Amino acid sequence: LNSDKTQCRTNAFSALRVLISSSDYSSKLSRLEPPLSQVMDKISGLPDELVVKILSFVPTKVAVSTSVLSKRWEFLWMWVPKLDFLTKNHFGPDLPLRDFINKNLPLLRAPTIESFRLKCFYKTFQPEVINQWVAITLSRCIRELDIGQSLGHTDNLAVLYRTACIPANRW
């Protein structure tokens, strides 16, 4: 368990290091090559808004994995307005992902969800579950909603792009 946590932290720092070095902030943070502990000190000094912006450029799985870095980072990923989920289970239901989305989507703190993307390869999610996720994202003024399924099982799934912001009180 500790080795998984260490690997998760290393992956999260590596992703953040790459993003920061390729961003507009690289001139200020160009000395991030020292040991990981010094990198953590520099990244920890950034305001939450900037950290959330950085996290919005990494895959959702990486953003969520940063929650193990420290108490401060535990819930920062919940402010990320871009969610991108790609199931890798080509042969059966992806129940852990479904459970994760069911549990955390209603708890997101971002007032607006810029994008919610879900790509699955197996007929993993029931239409009722997807409808619930769509309703939650619509209540957060979703800007881009993309739900798709491969292997020809596209019945009961819709792909929507650039949906209008529909206030929750209009339902």
Side-chain angles (χ1 to χ4, degrees):
L1 183 63
N2 283 339
S3 66
D4 289 341
K5 204 171 195 180
T6 303
Q7 183 63 38
C8 187
R9 285 181 180 175
T10 303
N11 290 345
F13 279 127
S14 296
L16 290 173
R17 186 180 290 167
V18 167
L19 277 171
I20 290 172
S21 67
S22 66
S23 71
D24 294 336
Y25 307 103
S26 62
S27 61
K28 294 179 184 175
L29 302 173
S30 61
R31 296 176 196 93
L32 287 180
E33 297 306 322
L36 203 54
S37 61
Q38 289 179 0
V39 172
M40 179 61 177
D41 290 343
K42 294 213 182 227
I43 293 174
S44 292
L46 297 173
D48 287 352
E49 296 80 15
L50 181 55
V51 173
V52 169
K53 184 70 171 174
I54 292 168
L55 290 176
S56 72
F57 291 104
V58 300
T60 301
K61 186 174 183 174
V62 173
V64 172
S65 72
T66 63
S67 65
V68 301
L69 297 177
S70 72
K71 285 286 187 191
R72 175 185 172 220
W73 287 71
E74 189 173 3
F75 299 106
L76 277 179
W77 74 269
M78 295 182 110
W79 288 94
V80 174
K82 297 178 182 178
L83 303 168
D84 196 359
F85 300 101
L86 172 67
T87 65
K88 296 189 182 210
N89 187 352
H90 296 270
F91 305 106
D94 199 342
L95 299 177
L97 177 62
R98 184 199 65 198
D99 293 343
F100 176 84
I101 296 172
N102 279 340
K103 178 181 176 187
N104 291 292
L105 187 59
L107 302 175
L108 288 180
R109 297 176 178 170
T112 300
I113 297 176
E114 291 178 22
S115 66
F116 179 87
R117 293 187 180 102
L118 173 66
K119 300 290 183 205
C120 47
F121 295 97
Y122 183 83
K123 197 170 186 171
T124 303
F125 308 110
Q126 296 297 320
E128 305 81 41
V129 172
I130 293 174
N131 287 339
Q132 180 183 15
W133 297 343
V134 169
I136 292 168
T137 60
L138 285 173
S139 73
R140 300 288 184 88
C141 297
I142 183 80
R143 293 189 180 146
E144 184 176 341
L145 177 61
D146 183 359
I147 300 173
Q149 195 170 29
S150 295
L151 299 177
H153 299 292
T154 57
D155 56 318
N156 298 322
L157 286 182
V159 179
L160 306 170
Y161 294 95
R162 307 215 192 292
T163 60
C165 178
I166 302 170
N169 62 359
R170 293 217 177 159
W171 284 96

